[in-house]
Amino acid sequence: LQAALRARPEFQLRPGRHPGSLTTRTRARLALESDIRKGLERDEFYLLYQPQVDAQSGRIVGVEALIRWRHPEHGIVSPANFIPVAEESGLIVPMGEWVLKEACSQVRRWQQRGVHPPRVAVNISARQLRSTNFLDNVAATIAMTGIVPDLLELELTESILMDPEARQVQGLYRLQQLGVHFSIDDFGTGYSSLSYIKRFPIGMLKIDQSFVRGLPDSVNDAGIATAVIAMAHNMQLEVIAEGVETLAQLEFLRQAKCPKVQGYLFSRPVTAGDVEILLRAGQIDLPATTAID
């Protein structure tokens, strides 16, 4: 994307200007922010869904909604390139509202097509949680789409737990009372403490893929993954490992009693239509590993 942006006339460097100058970077960021705003207006964003499966049976137990951007000039833009700008500019709020509505609407469409959908996980940013109408927006979206609240999971990052402006704890508990689930995404990469986990209505911990990537060879990653799984069980929380790509990783997680997994070993993020095919099948055939008693 950076190469594509530099190719645009407004990003041509003036003689003597260093490529890393603040002016150039600022102009690039402002242009990207403008493109994001236009993209939201022109429906250039869309969702893919990655299945979450039972580590033992392969049964699909959930899907995570992942936003993608089909830019009219640059093609598919990685979220790593546009999410930080959306976060900094505040555009993450309308973007997040669109993701929530689209994911819930898709659940409803699956139901109308005779498919029993699993729980759908939607990522929530700190900016969204700071907005005064966030809680009302979630409740209104559930009511508008007509889905059962139990089918919605909101993924919070650890940084949200530490953000004093985003701690709408009582409001989150009200959503939980409606049936909405909450999880901590990328668990272990931030600075949260167990006291914060206890204060929020968290029902699941999601082991970050950076800890899964080194399994089973990395002693540190193995120790962290095992500890998180054991802690979740002891706190009566659900736990899922993301970024599972190899048989060895799956085998380790099975042995460590991690009940749910997600990653390229089972499915890449796919369209709603492809997810529907998987849901009708009911499960994903898992690669054979050592049997677990």
Side-chain angles (χ1 to χ4, degrees):
L1 177 62
Q2 294 301 321
L5 289 173
R6 286 195 295 270
R8 292 171 58 171
E10 58 266 41
F11 296 114
Q12 295 300 313
L13 297 178
R14 299 175 182 174
R17 185 179 296 281
H18 189 276
S21 70
L22 179 61
T23 301
T24 301
R25 294 196 303 271
T26 300
R27 292 175 67 190
R29 181 194 174 282
L30 291 174
L32 184 54
E33 180 182 330
S34 176
D35 281 356
I36 292 172
R37 184 175 286 104
K38 293 175 183 176
L40 289 170
E41 296 171 353
R42 299 172 181 174
D43 294 326
E44 295 171 2
F45 292 92
Y46 63 100
L47 294 184
L48 295 180
Y49 300 87
Q50 187 170 39
Q52 301 170 331
V53 303
D54 181 278
Q56 300 297 331
S57 67
R59 180 174 59 88
I60 300 175
V61 295
V63 293
E64 181 179 3
L66 300 166
I67 189 170
R68 295 292 185 267
W69 183 14
R70 186 178 289 104
H71 194 284
E73 295 179 31
H74 310 308
I76 305 302
V77 182
S78 169
N81 288 320
F82 68 81
I83 291 295
V85 175
E87 188 80 47
E88 293 171 9
S89 65
L91 289 172
I92 196 69
V93 175
M95 181 181 292
E97 291 176 355
W98 177 84
V99 171
L100 178 65
K101 291 177 182 178
E102 177 60 22
C104 291
S105 296
Q106 183 57 60
V107 169
R108 185 58 177 167
R109 288 193 289 269
W110 280 327
Q111 290 176 321
Q112 292 172 339
R113 292 174 61 85
V115 177
H116 179 64
R119 192 186 304 170
V120 60
V122 175
N123 291 276
I124 301 298
S125 75
R127 280 238 185 195
Q128 285 178 266
L129 204 53
R130 289 190 203 118
S131 62
T132 56
N133 64 342
F134 170 75
L135 300 172
D136 291 338
N137 181 62
V138 174
T141 299
I142 292 173
M144 178 190 70
T145 57
I147 71 165
V148 178
D150 182 63
L151 294 178
L152 177 62
E153 176 184 317
L154 301 181
E155 291 191 0
L156 312 176
T157 62
E158 286 188 285
S159 61
I160 290 179
L161 305 188
M162 305 292 290
D163 187 343
E165 296 182 44
R167 295 180 194 168
Q168 302 187 46
V169 180
Q170 295 304 317
L172 296 183
Y173 272 103
R174 288 197 295 273
L175 289 179
Q176 185 192 48
Q177 291 172 356
L178 290 177
V180 176
H181 299 266
F182 292 90
S183 63
I184 299 182
D185 191 21
D186 302 337
F187 184 77
T189 61
Y191 304 95
S192 68
S193 68
L194 297 183
S195 63
Y196 285 117
I197 295 176
K198 289 174 59 178
R199 286 188 58 211
F200 283 76
I202 303 300
M204 178 186 291
L205 304 181
K206 195 169 189 180
I207 304 174
D208 185 65
Q209 59 183 337
S210 64
F211 302 125
V212 174
R213 191 176 299 120
L215 299 178
D217 300 323
S218 169
V219 175
N220 289 336
D221 289 345
I224 292 172
T226 301
V228 172
I229 294 167
M231 182 184 70
H233 289 321
N234 290 334
M235 296 181 69
Q236 297 184 330
L237 300 175
E238 296 183 79
V239 60
I240 183 172
E242 65 175 349
V244 181
E245 298 183 355
T246 70
L247 286 171
Q249 291 168 349
L250 174 60
E251 175 70 3
F252 178 91
L253 292 166
R254 281 175 160 179
Q255 295 286 355
K257 307 299 183 184
C258 184
K260 299 179 181 180
V261 285
Q262 174 182 350
Y264 284 6
L265 184 61
F266 320 106
S267 174
R268 290 177 175 271
V270 295
T271 65
D274 288 336
V275 170
E276 181 176 328
I277 294 174
L278 295 174
L279 292 177
R280 291 187 184 280
Q283 67 180 55
I284 294 175
D285 293 332
L286 295 182
T289 63
T290 303
I292 304 297
D293 296 329

